[in-house]
Amino acid sequence: MTPTRSADRWDSSLYDDRHSFVWRAGSGLMDLLAPQAGEKILDLGCGTGHLAAKLADMGAIVTGIDSSPSMIAQGRQNFPGLKFVLGDVRDFHFDETFDAVFSNAVLHWVHEAEAAARCVAGALRPGGRFVLEMGVKGNVARIRGAIEAVMTELSRTPKCPWFYPSTGEYSVLLEKCGFEIRMAQTFDRFTELEHPERGMREWIEMFAGSYFEGIPAGDREPLLREIEQRLRPELYRDGSWWADYRRLRIEAVKLG
Ligand code: BEZ
């Protein structure tokens, strides 16, 4: 989900084909959510709907919301029985309330975190759960460092597209928006990328494309090669590329 971008730049087929580790890694978060049959759950930033479908398989009544028309269209195609809504995580409203809001690998795209947290609080019944996972301070620091160094050497001012707060910062923000923090956990999760040779550049093209805005497509190749070369000693291991993910998981409850 990329709520700050005006145009939909997500390639939902590529996302499903080459970046399925994003939602596969979210399976553990569902254990924390522990959905009960019949619970109404909002999947915030549902992407192509794979986790929403798993929640529905567990008996929950799921609505998926995402700001990307292409992700929503792919979700509807993948799972025609599920409800998908196109919407902005910073500015959404439902007439109904939910028992839980679930969000995997989305909120690090949302710089307007307080606006998003207030919308989530508005969508939950008192006592409802907000269970989230996102990149935390230091997430993809090596990848980001290599991209930003190469851009700086080109006399460009790199602008990080992501919001990586510390655990404390995000917890305080949620408290300010009417939540009580029940659990907050930070951990490293080195993640193997899907293509053995092209994995890093495919990750960069899919998720870090905004760093390259204004650079003609034909001029990007040497930059990608340089970035790969700088990252190879640390992030190419045992025949695969790895992303240096650091995660934040939170379970919060809306105060009554
Ligand atoms: C993440 O899941 O941490 C992430 C995904 C895409 C871009 C940056 C971070």
Side-chain angles (χ1 to χ4, degrees):
M1 189 175 199
T2 51
T4 52
R5 298 181 183 192
S6 49
D8 185 1
R9 306 213 186 138
W10 287 110
D11 179 337
S12 55
S13 321
L14 192 60
Y15 181 81
D16 262 3
D17 186 32
R18 286 263 193 257
H19 304 283
S20 64
F21 59 86
V22 175
W23 59 264
R24 286 186 203 287
S27 302
L29 189 63
M30 290 197 304
D31 297 338
L32 183 59
L33 177 67
Q36 305 298 304
E39 276 195 315
K40 282 167 50 183
I41 297 181
L42 179 65
D43 182 353
L44 187 70
C46 60
T48 50
H50 291 275
L51 291 178
K54 283 188 188 294
L55 296 174
D57 286 346
M58 295 162 99
I61 302 159
V62 186
T63 300
I65 182 170
D66 203 290
S67 63
S68 158
S70 127
M71 292 286 188
I72 288 289
Q74 186 71 44
R76 287 183 178 140
Q77 195 177 318
N78 288 346
F79 307 105
L82 290 188
K83 181 173 173 191
F84 291 100
V85 175
L86 186 63
D88 185 332
V89 65
R90 302 161 303 174
D91 183 17
F92 69 89
H93 169 79
F94 287 89
D95 290 333
E96 57 184 324
T97 55
F98 294 88
D99 297 303
V101 174
F102 172 85
S103 182
N104 177 54
V106 170
L107 292 163
H108 46 247
W109 294 104
V110 184
H111 291 264
E112 299 88 340
E114 191 171 326
R118 291 200 188 283
C119 288
V120 171
L124 281 169
R125 66 166 171 79
R129 305 156 354 257
F130 184 20
V131 173
L132 69 94
E133 180 173 319
M134 65 189 287
V136 72
K137 190 169 183 170
N139 194 38
V140 294
R142 294 175 182 84
I143 300 177
R144 200 180 146 187
I147 298 173
E148 293 185 2
V150 166
M151 292 297 161
T152 303
E153 286 160 25
L154 284 178
S155 303
R156 291 172 63 92
T157 308
K159 186 166 175 291
C160 176
W162 307 301
F163 170 62
Y164 295 140
S166 71
T167 306
E169 283 162 354
Y170 214 75
S171 301
V172 166
L173 183 144
L174 291 180
E175 284 173 350
K176 194 172 153 193
C177 297
F179 289 96
E180 178 179 271
I181 307 300
R182 291 283 167 89
M183 196 284 301
Q185 184 188 20
T186 311
F187 56 97
D188 292 326
R189 185 171 61 214
F190 257 59
T191 300
E192 188 174 6
L193 303 179
E194 282 187 22
H195 192 283
E197 263 315 313
R198 296 186 55 81
M200 183 54 71
R201 70 171 49 212
E202 286 181 352
W203 188 96
I204 292 171
E205 284 167 347
M206 181 81 183
F207 298 118
S210 67
Y211 278 115
F212 297 80
E213 264 164 21
I215 300 177
D219 294 343
R220 295 182 186 186
E221 179 53 34
L223 303 180
L224 286 167
R225 240 183 288 125
E226 177 62 25
I227 293 164
E228 278 180 330
Q229 205 173 316
R230 291 184 191 200
L231 289 174
R232 190 172 285 272
E234 286 197 90
L235 297 183
Y236 192 78
R237 297 182 187 168
D238 307 323
S240 291
W241 282 104
W242 297 74
D244 52 337
Y245 282 155
R246 298 198 74 224
R247 319 308 290 167
L248 167 60
R249 271 187 190 171
I250 287 186
E251 181 191 5
V253 167
K254 178 181 167 176
L255 294 173

